[in-house]
Amino acid sequence: MNNMVRTPISGNAADFFLDRHCREGRGDKTAFIGPERHLTYAGLLAGTQAFAAGLKQAGIKRESRIALLMLDDVDFPIAFWGAIRAGVIPIPINTLLPPDLVTYILADCRAELLVVSPSLLPDLDAALASLPDLTRIITADAELAAFMQPDTAPPVATHPDEVAFWLYSSGSTNMPKGVRHVHSSLRATVTTYAETVLKLRSDDVVYSAAKMFFAYGLGNAMTFPMAVGATTILLPHRPTPAAVLALMEAHNPSVFCGVPTLYAALLQHPGLGSGAGSARLRRCISAGEALPEAIGTAWRRTVGVDILDGIGSTEMLHIFLSNSDHALRYGTSGVAVPGYELRLVDGQGADTPDGEPGELLVKGQSAAEGYWNLRDKTRSTFVGAWTHTGDKYIRDADGFYRYCGRTDDMFKVSGIWVSPFEVEGALASHDAVLEAAVVGREDQDGLTKPRAFLVLKQGIMPSAALTDELKAFVKQKIGPWKYPRWIDIVDDLPKTATGKIQRYKLRQWN
Ligand code: 3UK
């Protein structure tokens, strides 16, 4: 038995998501619609085979890393799945990050090759020379076409527990962390969220405003439609309200995946109407931050489709707690997605009763294998089967989970916990307010009280009368001690490249 090794069984995710469709006669179906090119499943298969062969010719061995700094277009799935089928680990990078953070990530992951959208290269060019491991840079244009070598090889055999790809978590207070995901995790997000909440069908046409470098977009725009042989529309550039509405009218997606800020901006757009312009819109989802109740109800009124809000994370790959068709309550994140278990715990790790805030822990098959080169952080986040989310929640008596903010954003006023998110939601439900962020601030007595930063809707002017009205509005809506003692009107809120409010920056304001 000395020579016994655990031979890789064919757990290569590329087989399930791609080769299977071609083998079973669905090769002619359109998989991706980009602005200039369409890709069928057969076309994508040929592209990934050619990319994998290109990697081999370039001497990129399995288990080594390559980075993708790519706008959402048809080349993205070619490079992503091409690497995975070769056993090489693709690392999509957020294209909105400043060059110093991109360089940090490239150095941290020691990518040997970078595929980059041509328009993103000039900003980076100088920094790339300082990376010793990066031996090859390919622009996603004719250079990529020349790199690819026609081939018909099947995916390499990999173990289901083998690392397939990494994503860098946005890290609103620290440097981005490399989150390592295994082949089987992609399937796990399909059998849980995609099959029980999203319920995609092969005739669906999906548009995700969240890009594929983000775990939310990777599932929405790539793995979920590919699991059922459906079609995805790709928009390489910024999803402004006007661009989104134009796309909805041109392609009539049946499923739309957005984030709260975009839903709020679309609701402000005069062109928004039934189906958001699509003749066959049947499902809308939201994640990334909590969806204020007012946005959900206004969207349903104007567009005629509910928004299912759910929480996911880079660490869990996709959504594990969500609203659904049969359990929908605006202002909450819903209930556990089938296949995931949840707990709320206090500072000592004991379960908290219903109605009291606790940190959310989640258990499920899509949890990451760990962070790259951060052992302490890995051990404190992935504790046995449970992943610590760093989010505070309250579970209602009927089992719905209400978001209270990051564990470090909560503060106490007069001895009572205040969730910045609850105050923000109250403020955002006022007609004058577009967006709100709330932090704790000490008053002249050293006591912490809520302070609000507001972006007003277009055409609304700040005034002392409005400030007083907003304070009274919050008092009456959620309780007298929770109203913001200070209100600052700002043009924008500080946000991460993935759209999360950076409250730690607001706490530093004077
Ligand atoms: C926050 C939410 C309240 C929460 C993500 C869907 O956002 C995703 O991943 P990230 O790693 O951030 C995770 C953190 O974002 N959050 C996300 N969704 C919600 N808070 N309500 C929500 N609906 O703090 C969480 O810990 O960038 C979302 C799918 C995959 C993802 N990676």
Side-chain angles (χ1 to χ4, degrees), residues 320-321 336 340-346 348-352 357-363 383 385-389 391-393 395 401:
F320 47 84
L321 164 58
Y340 292 97
E341 284 175 58
L342 304 177
R343 283 177 69 197
L344 295 181
V345 299
D346 64 18
Q348 279 69 51
D351 290 87
T352 55
E359 190 196 353
L360 179 69
L361 312 189
V362 52
K363 178 177 161 185
V383 184
W386 295 91
T387 301
H388 289 235
T389 64
D391 293 301
K392 275 247 154 81
Y393 268 90
R395 190 177 48 242
Y401 285 75

Side-chain angles (χ1 to χ4, degrees), residues 75-418:
D75 292 331
F76 186 113
I78 289 176
F80 184 83
W81 292 108
I84 289 198
R85 75 185 293 114
V88 169
I89 296 166
I91 304 174
I93 299 178
N94 185 338
T95 59
L96 305 167
L97 289 177
D100 58 330
L101 280 184
V102 174
T103 315
Y104 172 86
I105 291 174
L106 289 169
D108 185 65
C109 72
R110 304 182 199 131
E112 292 176 23
L113 178 146
L114 168 70
V115 187
V116 57
S117 295
S119 62
L120 303 175
L121 188 58
D123 276 355
L124 272 180
D125 229 358
L128 295 181
S130 67
L131 298 163
D133 299 294
L134 187 66
T135 52
R136 183 124 186 214
I137 298 160
I138 301 166
T139 47
D141 49 22
E143 224 172 272
L144 177 60
F147 175 79
M148 293 168 47
Q149 307 292 322
D151 192 57
T152 55
V156 304
T158 53
H159 197 278
D161 290 345
E162 183 168 335
V163 171
F165 64 101
W166 302 6
L167 293 170
Y168 271 79
S169 78
S170 42
S172 54
T173 50
N174 276 311
M175 289 312 252
K177 302 184 284 291
V179 178
R180 294 148 50 83
H181 279 290
V182 300
H183 280 260
S184 59
S185 285
L186 291 167
R187 274 293 282 286
T189 59
V190 168
T191 54
T192 54
Y193 180 76
E195 285 179 6
T196 70
V197 177
L198 198 57
K199 298 192 183 121
L200 284 192
R201 308 184 302 231
S202 61
D203 63 345
D204 272 316
V205 177
V206 179
Y207 169 57
S208 171
K211 305 292 185 196
M212 290 185 285
F213 59 71
F214 186 36
Y216 179 48
L218 189 85
N220 301 335
M222 198 159 66
T223 54
F224 297 166
M226 286 179 69
V228 294
T231 302
T232 291
I233 303 156
L234 297 175
L235 175 73
H237 297 294
R238 219 163 71 85
T240 59
V244 169
L245 290 178
L247 183 148
M248 300 292 282
E249 268 169 41
H251 295 284
N252 295 294
S254 54
V255 176
F256 174 68
C257 313
V259 296
T261 322
L262 178 58
Y263 283 111
L266 283 165
L267 281 164
Q268 285 284 291
H269 197 280
L272 186 74
S274 171
S278 165
R280 54 182 174 200
L281 189 69
R282 70 175 186 91
R283 161 97 62 234
C284 296
I285 64 167
S286 176
E289 56 181 324
L291 180 79
E293 175 172 2
I295 295 180
T297 51
W299 185 265
R300 174 164 61 196
R301 203 165 46 238
T302 308
V303 174
V305 180
D306 277 309
I307 304 174
L308 303 181
D309 181 20
I311 173 174
S313 68
T314 309
E315 286 77 359
M316 291 305 295
L317 191 52
H318 214 274
I319 293 171
F320 47 84
L321 164 58
S322 183
N323 286 278
S324 69
D325 285 332
H326 48 271
L328 171 57
R329 188 161 308 174
Y330 285 126
T332 78
S333 303
V335 301
V337 170
Y340 292 97
E341 284 175 58
L342 304 177
R343 283 177 69 197
L344 295 181
V345 299
D346 64 18
Q348 279 69 51
D351 290 87
T352 55
D354 288 354
E356 272 184 40
E359 190 196 353
L360 179 69
L361 312 189
V362 52
K363 178 177 161 185
Q365 293 303 315
S366 61
E369 188 260 3
Y371 297 115
W372 170 246
N373 285 355
L374 290 164
R375 188 169 65 159
D376 287 351
K377 185 74 191 143
T378 299
R379 289 195 174 164
S380 59
T381 301
F382 305 99
V383 184
W386 295 91
T387 301
H388 289 235
T389 64
D391 293 301
K392 275 247 154 81
Y393 268 90
I394 289 178
R395 190 177 48 242
D396 294 350
D398 42 9
F400 281 79
Y401 285 75
R402 209 168 276 277
Y403 186 65
C404 301
R406 299 288 301 168
T407 44
D408 44 6
D409 286 337
M410 297 276 290
F411 54 91
K412 277 188 167 177
V413 177
S414 319
I416 308 171
W417 279 116
V418 169

Side-chain angles (χ1 to χ4, degrees), residues 429-448:
S429 70
H430 189 281
D431 280 341
V433 177
L434 182 64
E435 279 190 295
V438 168
V439 296
R441 179 199 200 185
E442 287 190 2
D443 65 11
Q444 67 277 18
D445 302 320
L447 299 170
T448 304

